[in-house]
Amino acid sequence: MIDLIDEIKRLKEEKKAIILAHNYQRGEVQDIADFVGDSLELSRTAAKVDAKVIIFCGVYFMAETAAILCSDKVVILPDFEAGCPLANMITLKELEDFKKSHPKVPVVCYINSSAEIKANSDICCTSSNVINVVNSLREEEIIFIPDMNLGNFVSKNTSKNIHIWQGFCPTHLWIKLNDIKRLKEIHPDAVVMVHPECAPDVVEYADKVLSTGQMLKFAKESAFKKFIVGTENGIIHRLKKENPKKEFYPVSKKIICPNMKRITLRKILKSLKNLEPKVIVEKEISKKAKTSIERMLEIL
Ligand code: CIZ
């Protein structure tokens, strides 16, 4: 393990690469990374760092977003099988049909979507800015894709009429209200923070509904000492590391995204050696997808 880490560090220098890791990655991958964050923070970091090569430890749509925002760099995803089932829950044909059934209604797409879907949407959003993005549009009717739970969450927090695509994150659906209630009985003084990709009953019960970046900020700044955490368990590593005196309880051991866990130190090493596999987004799609991401960045 030490040899592996040393070799990764050596090759990183040699290839002028940086390693970016999502908050849901394995602990050892987060520890070797230059930056750890949510998908947008990582893409923005990718765009501004002085490096030729980005080793992106996350899932495909995230690496694709980084490639869209920094076309001058080589973006590598150490395992191309690391997909996002939620992002795959809407195809371009389905989006086109959905648009036809609601003509002239603008499309807001969650960042968990393919470049092609972003390219055919009006504006992108993340779980931290979804309400602001929806409210920034002058239209009163909005199409929201692909996550139904995030769609329901925004629907409850805006006066707009939202047409929601019925996609979902299978990992967040493992977060069950009964498990949270059981933990709350054991730790009555713990605050419950959950991700808006969770089911509506979980979101309704939670004290705080937060993106991963917001959870990390809230855990650091709040006076609470105990937290029940309703999102992918990879975030517990960073929460504990940044708050050694606080306690964090995952809702269940099952809240693991198998795709996020596909990236390992060995695969990172292999990608650094070969500079493969590269994420390449077709030029025209990249240009249009960038527009919908940039529209979001303007209203942040
Ligand atoms: O945008 C991200 O990184 C995702 C998928 C979730 C979050 O809340 O950070």
Side-chain angles (χ1 to χ4, degrees):
M1 180 91 148
I2 306 263
D3 287 354
L4 192 57
I5 292 171
D6 285 347
E7 187 58 2
I8 289 174
K9 287 185 178 158
R10 192 190 64 73
L11 273 173
K12 207 168 61 120
E13 293 284 307
E14 188 185 301
K15 307 273 169 115
K16 297 194 172 27
I18 61 153
I19 300 177
L20 304 182
H22 190 267
N23 292 324
Y24 295 155
Q25 287 290 295
R26 294 168 185 271
E28 67 270 23
V29 171
Q30 294 189 31
D31 289 343
I32 192 104
D34 297 286
F35 296 95
V36 183
D38 66 25
S39 59
L40 191 63
E41 283 167 348
L42 295 179
S43 293
R44 289 174 123 175
T45 304
K48 67 174 186 243
V49 287
D50 181 22
K52 290 198 169 114
V53 176
I54 312 283
I55 305 289
F56 200 104
C57 306
V59 291
Y60 196 84
F61 82 83
M62 297 179 177
E64 218 179 30
T65 309
I68 291 165
L69 290 182
C70 47
S71 47
D72 56 325
K73 293 173 183 137
V74 173
V75 177
I76 290 167
L77 178 66
D79 185 336
F80 259 31
E81 297 293 308
C84 170
L86 167 59
N88 296 337
M89 277 184 200
I90 189 162
T91 62
L92 184 55
K93 167 85 175 66
E94 286 169 329
L95 174 56
E96 278 166 356
D97 290 346
F98 201 34
K99 281 184 182 177
K100 273 186 207 143
S101 60
H102 304 287
K104 298 206 175 79
V105 175
V107 179
V108 176
C109 78
Y110 187 27
I111 196 147
N112 294 38
S113 54
S114 67
E116 198 178 41
I117 293 295
K118 287 184 179 81
N120 285 279
S121 299
D122 294 276
I123 186 165
C124 206
C125 75
T126 69
S127 45
S128 62
N129 62 23
V130 57
I131 299 170
N132 286 347
V133 167
V134 164
N135 286 339
S136 76
L137 300 173
R138 52 169 206 280
E139 291 84 353
E140 284 306 312
E141 228 180 305
I142 309 283
I143 289 175
F144 187 84
I145 56 166
D147 186 72
M148 63 176 173
N149 291 324
L150 192 62
N152 286 329
F153 172 71
V154 69
S155 211
K156 288 203 175 104
N157 287 284
T158 180
S159 58
K160 303 203 181 213
N161 178 16
I162 319 274
H163 304 286
I164 304 168
W165 187 256
Q166 297 298 300
F168 57 89
C169 163
T171 301
H172 279 89
L173 286 198
W174 281 108
I175 298 170
K176 305 285 185 209
L177 185 56
N178 280 346
D179 291 332
I180 298 182
K181 285 186 173 165
R182 215 171 297 130
L183 272 175
K184 188 75 183 167
E185 269 172 35
I186 308 169
H187 309 287
D189 50 343
V191 63
V192 178
M193 55 181 187
V194 306
H195 197 274
E197 284 175 33
C198 293
D201 60 340
V202 169
V203 167
E204 182 69 30
Y205 178 85
D207 299 305
K208 293 272 172 192
V209 183
L210 304 170
S211 68
T212 60
Q214 290 169 333
M215 283 185 187
L216 286 151
K217 187 167 186 291
F218 176 68
K220 205 177 268 182
E221 292 174 359
S222 91
F224 285 99
K225 295 272 180 282
K226 296 181 180 181
F227 301 79
I228 294 168
V229 184
T231 192
E232 210 278 343
N233 288 345
I235 198 173
I236 304 282
H237 180 78
R238 193 169 158 200
L239 284 167
K240 283 187 175 164
K241 202 167 161 180
E242 292 180 5
N243 307 279
K245 297 206 170 112
K246 297 188 178 183
E247 284 173 43
F248 299 94
Y249 311 107
V251 172
S252 135
K253 286 190 182 137
K254 285 191 231 162
I255 325 297
I256 303 282
C257 169
N259 291 290
M260 281 285 176
K261 304 305 185 241
R262 291 189 74 95
I263 313 289
T264 61
L265 292 182
R266 283 196 188 282
K267 287 181 190 170
I268 294 174
L269 180 65
K270 195 168 167 211
S271 312
L272 273 167
K273 276 187 185 154
N274 306 332
L275 295 188
E276 291 289 347
K278 295 184 184 70
V279 178
I280 297 178
V281 186
E282 200 263 310
K283 242 184 177 167
E284 207 43 42
I285 292 179
S286 178
K287 203 171 136 203
K288 285 198 198 153
K290 195 172 181 183
T291 306
S292 81
I293 299 169
E294 281 174 349
R295 277 195 193 126
M296 164 183 79
L297 297 178
E298 273 166 32
I299 62 112
L300 269 181

